[in-house]
Structures are given as structure tokens and as C-alpha cells.
Amino acid sequence: MKEMVVSVCAAAIITAIYKAIAPTEKFGAQIKLLTACFFLLSAVSAVSGLNSAWDLSDIIIPDGSYNDYSVQFGEQVSGETAAVLRREIAEMLAGENIFPEKIYTDTHISDNGSISINEIKLVFDKEDYALQAEYACVLVRRLVGTSIKVTAEITPQTAGTGAGR
């Protein structure tokens, strides 16, 4: 019902504006006929629900939807923080000739916006794990502090094999 009333009112306003600015000296009867037909067509199509061409309710009524980008922003910030941390760890370990296969970080952004790192996991192949894993964990703890859990493990592909020996 609301759409019908808005459409009829919009057609009446457009008709009144057109009548006010149109020249009536030469073509007065034709203009009255055209505006009456326009208004009648608008009213009939509004009542029948076929008024998609003249429906101004989409323009008049504001869109109340809300796009929340905080989740995507939080994931992006968390990913960038983890990438920077992984790069710093890799550079520090490379300075000691230690090259883990992978460095995993578990980051979390709380509701108040603070970023915390819960765990750092260094993954080595079987040979490097035996030689460097413990020292690598000590070096990483020096870099990030002792409140973050730092672990080392063997690559799953080489864990069950005799690779590297």
C-alpha cells in the first residue's frame, strides 16, 4: 500500500511540475490530455503493482543496510602481523645459519583491538631438527619473550622416514 501511495504522489508531483512549466498558449488542450494520461497510467500501474518504471520509493527511502568490515579488517591485520613476525624470526635464525622449513604463528585479536601471539611453531626436517631445533627455540624466545609458547617439530613428510640420515 505504501508503494502505491508513494507512486501516485510522485506522479501527481511530476504532473503538476510539468503543467507549471509547459507552454499552454498553443498546445494547452494536448498538454492537458498528455498529463492526464500520464497521471492515469501511473495511478493504474501503481494500483495493479506494475509500477516498476515509475517507482520512486527506491530513491526516496534510504537503504538501512550496514556493511561490517571489522572481521575482514581483523583477519588482514592478524595476517600482516604474523607475516612480519615470521619474517623477523626467519632473518634472525638465518643469521645463525638455521633455516626451518616453515614458521607458524598463532595470532589473536581481542575485542578491544589488542593483538596477541599465542604460539610460534618451527618446523624442521629430521636432520635439522636433531641439530638445531632446541637452539632455534632459545633464539626465538629471546626475540619474542618467554610468555609466548615456542615449539619445534619435524616435518610430517620426513617424520616417519629415514630421510636425511
Side-chain angles (χ1 to χ4, degrees):
M1 183 70 175
K2 182 179 177 182
E3 291 91 15
M4 180 187 69
V5 172
V6 170
S7 298
V8 170
C9 289
I13 291 170
I14 292 170
T15 302
I17 292 172
Y18 182 73
K19 277 186 173 181
I21 62 172
T24 56
E25 295 86 35
K26 291 184 180 180
F27 304 107
Q30 290 89 353
I31 291 174
K32 285 181 182 178
L33 178 65
L34 286 174
T35 54
C37 289
F38 169 75
F39 182 73
L40 185 62
L41 264 169
S42 297
V44 168
S45 62
V47 171
S48 67
L50 301 174
N51 195 14
S52 62
W54 300 105
D55 188 16
L56 299 177
S57 62
D58 291 341
I59 298 170
I60 297 169
I61 300 170
D63 184 14
S65 65
Y66 173 70
N67 293 327
D68 185 12
Y69 295 108
S70 61
V71 173
Q72 291 92 348
F73 179 73
E75 289 174 359
Q76 183 178 2
V77 168
S78 177
E80 289 177 11
T81 302
V84 168
L85 182 61
R86 283 192 300 269
R87 186 175 61 244
E88 291 292 322
I89 292 170
E91 288 174 1
M92 188 254 320
L93 291 176
E96 298 288 329
N97 287 328
I98 300 173
F99 302 98
E101 297 287 319
K102 296 273 186 184
I103 301 172
Y104 295 106
T105 58
D106 179 22
T107 58
H108 175 72
I109 298 180
S110 65
D111 291 338
N112 65 1
S114 64
I115 300 173
S116 63
I117 296 138
N118 301 327
E119 180 180 4
I120 298 171
K121 189 181 298 185
L122 306 171
V123 180
F124 293 94
D125 65 18
K126 193 170 186 174
E127 182 179 328
D128 289 339
Y129 180 81
L131 300 174
Q132 301 171 336
E134 188 175 328
Y135 183 56
C137 287
V138 169
L139 291 174
V140 172
R141 281 190 198 101
R142 283 186 198 161
L143 179 68
V144 299
T146 57
S147 63
I148 299 172
K149 181 180 177 184
V150 179
T151 59
E153 63 182 38
I154 299 172
T155 306
Q157 292 84 3
T158 62
T161 65
R165 295 240 166 188

